[in-house]
């Protein structure tokens, strides 16, 4: 299994998050500020939907753990944002662990 359905231990999820980060900088060529605004919008929409579902009042909704689910989504989005941001940083600022590219040629 790969992507967000994978277990954390097999590395597939982190590889997918890294792939998604890489394509925004290298293939789609979106400026970082626009990606960060999009990530904030996505987080806002997810939070609205989670709390909207909780307020439905159905048995399933009342048993839904909205607090921990929203915290988990925020952590996932923060990790994704870091994987995206690292492709915009100077590789030297990442203690030699940055992507191998000429980072100065932004867009």
């Amino acid at each position: 299994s790969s992507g967000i359905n994978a277990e954390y231990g097999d590395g597939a999820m982190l590889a997918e998050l890294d792939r998604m980060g890489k394509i925004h900088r290298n293939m789609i060529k979106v400026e970082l500020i626009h990606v960060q605004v999009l990530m904030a919008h996505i987080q806002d929409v997810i939070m609205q939907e989670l709390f909207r579902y909780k307020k439905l009042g159905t048995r399933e909704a009342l048993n839904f753990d909205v607090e921990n689910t929203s915290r988990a989504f925020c952590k996932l989005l923060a990790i994704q944002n870091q994987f995206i941001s690292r492709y915009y940083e100077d590789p030297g600022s990442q203690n030699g662990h940055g992507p191998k590219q000429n980072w100065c040629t932004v867009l």
Side-chain angles (χ1 to χ4, degrees), residues 1-7 10-17 19-20:
S1 174
S2 65
I4 62 172
N5 294 325
E7 293 293 325
D10 72 0
M13 180 176 176
L14 294 178
E16 179 65 12
L17 292 173
R19 183 191 71 79
M20 290 169 42

Side-chain angles (χ1 to χ4, degrees), residues 86-103:
R86 73 187 216 110
Y87 285 97
Y88 291 83
E89 295 176 358
D90 172 4
S93 71
Q94 298 179 36
N95 297 318
H97 299 292
K100 307 293 187 235
Q101 65 185 22
N102 183 354
W103 70 276

Side-chain angles (χ1 to χ4, degrees), residues 5 10 15 17 24 41-42 44-45 47-48 52 55 58 65 75 82 93 97 102:
N5 294 325
D10 72 0
L17 292 173
H24 286 86
H41 176 71
I42 290 169
D44 187 53
V45 169
M47 295 303 107
Q48 285 178 344
R52 183 196 60 76
K55 291 179 183 177
T58 64
D65 186 354
K75 290 173 186 175
Q82 179 59 34
S93 71
H97 299 292
N102 183 354

Side-chain angles (χ1 to χ4, degrees), residues 40-74:
H41 176 71
I42 290 169
Q43 180 174 322
D44 187 53
V45 169
I46 290 171
M47 295 303 107
Q48 285 178 344
E49 285 303 308
L50 291 175
F51 283 92
R52 183 196 60 76
Y53 176 73
K54 180 72 175 182
K55 291 179 183 177
L56 289 177
T58 64
R59 184 171 14 124
E60 294 85 6
L62 292 173
N63 290 326
F64 177 62
D65 186 354
V66 69
E67 290 84 9
N68 284 325
T69 303
S70 61
R71 289 173 55 204
F73 268 109
C74 288

Side-chain angles (χ1 to χ4, degrees), residues 28-46:
I28 302 172
K29 299 189 184 296
V30 178
E31 292 180 12
L32 182 58
I33 187 69
H34 300 295
V35 175
Q36 290 175 332
V37 168
L38 175 63
M39 293 297 289
H41 176 71
I42 290 169
Q43 180 174 322
D44 187 53
V45 169
I46 290 171

